[in-house]
Amino acid sequence: MPQYLMTVVEPSTGPGLEPGQLEQIMKDVDALHHEMHEAGVWVFGGGLRPPHTATTLRPADDDVLVVDGPFAEGKEHAGGFSIIDVPDLDAALAWGRKLVAATTIPIEVRPFYDSES
């Protein structure tokens, strides 16, 4: 079956979360990950630390330049992800809709290249 990456797309700026909101989101996401595991579609997932903790490696002639921070400045960043193994895009989108409900923020659903592509 094809695998899909569901990326949690967090805003990089803005008012932030209300007190207790993150705890509820994490509880809802944990419950969804458990549901995915029980359904046999769960492959791997996790939350990511804030963008300022990132290190980017950039090619520079015959060397590699190490840069603090994310690869690009933007209004959004990846806050976490889930990898699922489902029959098709429709199934991936159904799980993506559930993840939107759990996180209350956008989710990007993208297929992996498979060995036949």
Side-chain angles (χ1 to χ4, degrees), residues 47-112:
L48 299 172
R49 294 200 180 268
H52 74 272
T53 65
T55 303
T56 301
L57 304 175
R58 297 185 184 276
D61 298 320
D62 292 334
D63 200 3
V64 176
L65 181 63
V66 179
V67 181
D68 290 339
F71 69 92
E73 293 293 324
K75 295 180 182 179
E76 299 173 325
H77 63 273
F81 64 93
S82 298
I83 299 172
I84 57 174
D85 193 1
V86 294
D88 53 32
L89 178 60
D90 289 338
L93 293 176
W95 285 107
R97 284 183 182 90
K98 290 182 177 194
L99 192 52
V100 167
T103 62
T104 68
I105 56 178
I107 302 298
E108 176 186 313
V109 178
R110 187 185 303 189
F112 280 91

Side-chain angles (χ1 to χ4, degrees), residues 2 12 17 19 23 25 27 32 40 46 61 70 78 90 96 103 105-106 109:
S12 294
L17 299 174
E23 290 80 11
I25 289 170
K27 182 179 174 182
L32 180 58
D61 298 320
D90 289 338
T103 62
I105 56 178
V109 178

Side-chain angles (χ1 to χ4, degrees), residues 1-4 39-44 83-88 91-92 95:
M1 285 194 292
Q3 291 184 341
Y4 290 84
V41 302
W42 173 260
V43 175
F44 183 76
I83 299 172
I84 57 174
D85 193 1
V86 294
D88 53 32
W95 285 107

Side-chain angles (χ1 to χ4, degrees), residues 25-49:
I25 289 170
M26 294 308 300
K27 182 179 174 182
D28 293 344
V29 169
D30 285 343
L32 180 58
H33 284 172
H34 180 74
E35 182 182 346
M36 290 174 177
H37 190 271
E38 291 294 316
V41 302
W42 173 260
V43 175
F44 183 76
L48 299 172
R49 294 200 180 268

